[in-house]
Amino acid sequence: MQGTVRTFDDETRSGSVLLDDGTELPFDAAAFDAGGLRLLRFGQRVNLALHEDRVAVVTLSTFPLP
């Protein structure tokens, strides 16, 4: 699944992503850390992996999901 970064707080390493249908999904530090990233910026395209209706991994659209 792909989306676009809506918000990201580099101190808490959490934020939210907008899916293409306009649905906003929050993600926490664990999902950010699982993607192996250091920073996200507004408008950046990302891949998402869900687990039990929550975002489990956020990574760049050019990176494979674990």
Side-chain angles (χ1 to χ4, degrees):
M1 170 182 305
Q2 290 192 340
T4 304
V5 175
R6 182 171 182 276
T7 63
F8 179 70
D9 182 331
D10 60 343
E11 288 185 25
T12 63
R13 298 182 330 276
S14 62
S16 64
V17 173
L18 282 177
L19 301 180
D20 292 339
D21 68 1
T23 304
E24 184 175 358
L25 292 178
F27 64 87
D28 57 19
F32 177 76
D33 293 343
L37 302 176
R38 289 190 253 170
L39 182 67
L40 287 172
R41 62 183 190 278
F42 176 79
Q44 194 168 21
R45 285 296 279 182
V46 291
N47 281 339
L48 308 169
L50 299 179
H51 183 274
E52 296 180 3
D53 295 331
R54 88 181 229 331
V55 177
V57 178
V58 177
T59 194
L60 297 180
S61 60
T62 56
F63 291 1
L65 286 169

